[in-house]
Structure formats: C-alpha cells, structure tokens
Amino acid sequence: MIHSADIREWRNRNVVDPKGHKIGVLEAVYVDTATDEPAMATVRTGLPTRHHLAFVPLDEATLGPDYVKVSYTKTLVKKAPSVGVDDILPAESEEAIFQHYDMPYQTGAGGERQLARR
C-alpha cells in the first residue's frame, strides 16, 4: 500500500503500465473518502496542446526510482474517463470511472463522494 504522504512526492513523475510502457505523467492523487487512503491518480496524457487527465486506480501501484507503475494497461487507462487539465471531477462522473475498471462504487451514507483530491 502506498501512503498519501509518499505518493504526493511522485507528482510529475512518469506513470507506466505493467510492461513499462509510459502512460503519462502523474498529476494528482484522489483518496477514498471513507479510508483517506490513495485510491486513484490522474495521469496527464495526450498531445502537448491537447492534454487531458485520465483516471487510474492505485490499488496495486508500485514505486520505482523515477516512475509509478500501475497494474492497468496503457490502452485501458487511455480509454478511461477523463477531465480537462483545468477541470474538476463532477460528482456524477465518479461512478463511470469505477465502472470502467470493473470496481465497486459506493457513496457515503449521506451521498458523499467516494473520491477526494489531495
């Protein structure tokens, strides 16, 4: 498990898939609001003039000297729901991210979001 304090240090590091293919650059970390543990990261992908932020789970992520390796393929991450570089994740779009990765999605008892940016 990667702890919140550790993963923040990896902002702007390369994010690679299990085979070492570069997906993009780590932009931000989102924690699970129930546990406050890292759950997702946004990865800056796309052409320099058309960047967007794709979401990728951090459930089995490992750290290398200059990269974060996730357990999802580059193709899957690039097809994941995304937001613009200057946009925020709308609450109604959260569930689609979890569905894309076949992960369970559960809001809080009062309808709170499952993800919060740190």
Side-chain angles (χ1 to χ4, degrees), residues 63-102:
L63 302 177
D66 60 352
Y67 63 84
V68 177
K69 184 183 283 187
V70 295
S71 60
Y72 300 90
T73 65
K74 179 178 180 175
T75 304
L76 184 63
V77 175
K78 293 230 176 199
K79 291 179 181 177
S82 62
V83 295
V85 175
D86 295 324
D87 296 338
I88 60 169
L89 176 64
E92 60 273 4
S93 299
E94 270 190 7
E95 188 171 3
I97 296 166
F98 286 83
Q99 288 175 347
H100 178 76
Y101 291 104
D102 292 323

Side-chain angles (χ1 to χ4, degrees), residues 31-88:
V31 298
D32 184 311
T33 57
T35 64
D36 205 33
E37 291 294 328
M40 297 269 179
T42 52
V43 180
R44 190 170 56 241
T45 63
L47 301 172
T49 57
R50 302 189 73 158
H51 282 136
H52 63 277
L53 303 175
F55 287 83
V56 62
L58 293 173
D59 52 347
E60 295 181 26
T62 57
L63 302 177
D66 60 352
Y67 63 84
V68 177
K69 184 183 283 187
V70 295
S71 60
Y72 300 90
T73 65
K74 179 178 180 175
T75 304
L76 184 63
V77 175
K78 293 230 176 199
K79 291 179 181 177
S82 62
V83 295
V85 175
D86 295 324
D87 296 338
I88 60 169

